[in-house]
């Protein structure tokens, strides 16, 4: 694989010290480990090699692999989730939690100043919270497989659509010569519009010869029947839109 290649990978990652699996693309493994994720699709995921979408050590490993190849690799903290940062362990007043009706029990995850942390201890009106990622400072082991290397334009486009848009909200995408068009009714477009710029960037980077990505929003008379205009000129649709 080379930097910029579009591929799909399957992997399972575990903590070397405890042997606990913390991430996987395999549905059977996930079920066995009691993992759940809302609307998550288990199975191989598409990535662009060298784009920083995965851990640095895995990205580097992929660049020496071939389609169909499987490797096991142990990553030091610096190439995985980083070293532990003592400055991310903070002592906060208990009153900050009680006024927000939060019970800071040791081991629970709390949100403080828009940061997620794990409560380590509660003592003397103070709460010690660790804002380091759980796997910071730990060695991790991954078994990773390059499932597929997408080289044809159609396969690349299908993979990028899967990558960019939720499975339950995919637009219609057409590829004609050097133009790729994304089409969706207003109901769907309002849900996926944040994903469109990222999708367009990936398409232009990956699919050779693409000169333009066109975005088309489809309207029907029924849509306008459910449209409301505010005094400032802005519009919105009923909740179903």
């Amino acid at each position: 694989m080379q930097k910029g290649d579009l591929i799909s990978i399957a992997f399972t990652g575990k903590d070397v010290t405890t042997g606990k699996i913390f991430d996987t693309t395999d549905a059977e493994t996930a079920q066995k480990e009691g993992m759940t994720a809302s609307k998550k699709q288990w199975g191989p995921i598409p990535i662009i090699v060298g784009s920083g979408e995965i851990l640095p050590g895995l990205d580097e490993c992929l660049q020496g692999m071939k389609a169909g190849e499987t490797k096991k690799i142990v990553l030091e903290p610096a190439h995985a989730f980083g070293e532990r940062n003592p400055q991310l362990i903070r002592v906060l007043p208990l009153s900050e939690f009680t006024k927000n009706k939060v019970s800071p029990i040791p081991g629970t995850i709390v949100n403080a100043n828009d940061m997620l942390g794990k409560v380590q201890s509660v003592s003397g009106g103070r709460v010690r919270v660790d804002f380091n990622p759980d796997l910071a400072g730990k060695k991790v082991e991954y078994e990773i497989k390059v499932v597929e290397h997408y080289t044809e334009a159609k396969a690349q486009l299908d993979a990028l659509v899967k990558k960019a848009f939720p499975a339950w909200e995919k637009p219609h995408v057409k590829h004609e010569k050097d133009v790729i068009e994304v089409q969706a009714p207003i109901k769907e477009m309002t849900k996926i519009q944040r994903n469109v710029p990222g999708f367009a960037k990936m398409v232009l980077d990956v699919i050779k010869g693409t000169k333009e990505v066109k975005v088309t929003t489809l309207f029907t008379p029924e849509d306008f029947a459910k449209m409301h205009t505010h005094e400032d000129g802005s519009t919105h649709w009923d909740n179903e839109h």
Side-chain angles (χ1 to χ4, degrees):
M1 300 298 107
Q2 297 180 0
K3 187 174 182 179
D5 285 349
L6 178 62
I7 65 175
S8 63
I9 59 173
F11 59 81
T12 295
K14 67 179 180 181
D15 183 336
V16 169
T17 303
T18 64
K20 180 176 175 58
I21 291 174
F22 59 83
D23 197 11
T24 186
T25 56
D26 181 67
E28 186 175 338
T29 301
Q31 185 176 14
K32 182 179 178 181
E33 295 295 321
M35 296 179 182
T36 59
S38 178
K39 294 185 178 180
K40 177 167 181 174
Q41 281 187 301
W42 302 108
I45 60 172
I47 69 160
I48 299 172
V49 178
S51 63
E53 298 176 39
I54 56 177
L55 297 178
L58 291 180
D59 225 345
E60 185 177 337
C61 176
L62 286 173
Q63 294 182 50
M65 295 177 66
K66 299 177 181 179
E69 185 177 358
T70 300
K71 276 189 179 181
K72 281 189 177 181
I73 179 173
V74 174
L75 303 179
E76 298 291 335
H79 291 92
F81 295 92
E83 301 288 355
R84 289 185 61 78
N85 183 353
Q87 294 182 352
L88 291 179
I89 299 176
R90 300 175 185 173
V91 177
L92 304 173
L94 178 60
S95 59
E96 289 295 314
F97 295 89
T98 55
K99 75 179 182 181
N100 290 307
K101 299 181 180 180
V102 174
S103 180
I105 301 171
T108 58
I109 304 298
V110 295
N111 187 326
N113 299 322
D114 294 324
M115 294 178 62
L116 293 178
K118 180 180 287 187
V119 176
Q120 291 186 320
S121 63
V122 182
S123 178
R126 297 190 175 191
V127 181
R128 181 182 171 94
V129 184
D130 185 357
F131 291 100
N132 283 284
D134 273 352
L135 293 165
K138 296 183 178 182
K139 288 184 181 180
V140 295
E141 178 184 285
Y142 274 87
E143 181 173 304
I144 187 167
K145 178 179 181 180
V146 178
V147 177
E148 192 166 353
H149 180 197
Y150 303 103
T151 57
E152 299 297 325
K154 185 181 184 309
Q156 291 174 331
L157 185 58
D158 290 344
L160 290 176
V161 169
K162 178 182 178 181
K163 180 176 175 59
F165 301 104
W168 55 96
E169 290 172 357
K170 293 195 184 303
H172 176 63
V173 180
K174 296 194 303 181
H175 188 185
E176 295 182 0
K177 297 183 180 179
D178 55 4
V179 176
I180 289 175
E181 181 176 5
V182 179
Q183 290 185 351
I186 182 63
K187 179 179 177 180
E188 280 72 32
M189 187 61 75
T190 55
K191 298 175 183 178
I192 66 170
Q193 57 190 356
R194 292 184 180 180
N195 304 61
V196 172
F199 171 72
K201 175 73 164 57
M202 290 189 296
V203 164
L204 293 168
D205 287 345
V206 172
I207 303 180
K208 304 303 181 185
T210 304
K211 294 182 179 180
E212 184 178 79
V213 177
K214 183 189 300 184
V215 181
T216 302
T217 303
L218 307 175
F219 293 87
T220 67
E222 289 76 15
D223 292 322
F224 288 97
K226 297 178 180 180
M227 184 178 74
H228 302 278
T229 303
H230 299 284
E231 291 181 0
D232 62 1
S234 63
T235 59
H236 81 275
W237 278 261
D238 289 342
N239 290 337
E240 66 179 284
H241 286 261

